[in-house]
Amino acid sequence: MRIVFYLISIILANVITAAFAPLLFGVFIVPMGTLLIGATFIFRDLVQNKYGRKKTYWLIGIALFLSAVVSYLLGDTLIIVLASAISFLIAETTDTEIYTRLKLPMSWRVFYSGLVGGLLDSVVFVIIGLSPFGANYLPWEAVPAAIIGQVLVKTLIQGLGALVLNQVHTILDKKIGTN
């Protein structure tokens, strides 16, 4: 189920981003799919935790392909598809490597690796895809707000996911300890 959740969350993030206008929180601009992008890092970590790093990289490749195809089929321009693919590859690889190397409880590894992955995903996608450097959807003045908005939402989702994982592990540890 972890693999299914991981792949579906990536596909749904593309569909939701294409279907709904971005959220505006004051000056911050957040595509609706960002809510799921934060969760994809958590699902990827759960996949890696169960299946290991090598299989995770295979799944990242599959997810990258699915994301690009769905993005293209939804009518995204080639530069948006390319920006999405580049940011996805950088962010997922970074998340995987940080998660692998941290010697902390799982909830902290999920949080820290996702924090860095989400930051890189936001910066790379907005600059390559949305700024005047890319598709020119945002003027340079709006780029920082778009990046910060996405980072804040992804960090919130990562934090919530880490809290849930911590609670689940605490409950499981208590059950195991009482048996």
Side-chain angles (χ1 to χ4, degrees), residues 44-124:
R44 199 224 40 81
D45 291 337
L46 292 172
V47 166
Q48 181 177 351
N49 202 47
K50 182 166 185 170
Y51 298 105
R53 193 167 80 175
K54 185 176 181 180
K55 188 167 188 175
T56 298
Y57 273 113
W58 277 102
L59 290 167
I60 288 170
I62 292 167
L64 175 63
F65 175 77
L66 289 173
S67 178
V69 168
V70 169
S71 182
Y72 180 75
L73 291 175
L74 290 170
D76 286 335
T77 63
L78 191 53
I79 190 69
I80 294 294
V81 174
L82 182 62
S84 179
I86 291 169
S87 65
F88 181 86
L89 188 60
I90 291 170
E92 292 288 323
T93 300
T94 302
D95 185 289
T96 300
E97 294 305 315
I98 291 172
Y99 183 85
T100 298
R101 286 167 173 70
L102 288 177
K103 304 301 180 212
L104 297 169
M106 183 181 178
S107 58
W108 285 107
R109 294 185 326 177
V110 165
F111 180 72
Y112 289 135
S113 64
L115 185 67
V116 176
L119 173 67
L120 290 172
D121 184 62
S122 300
V123 169
V124 172

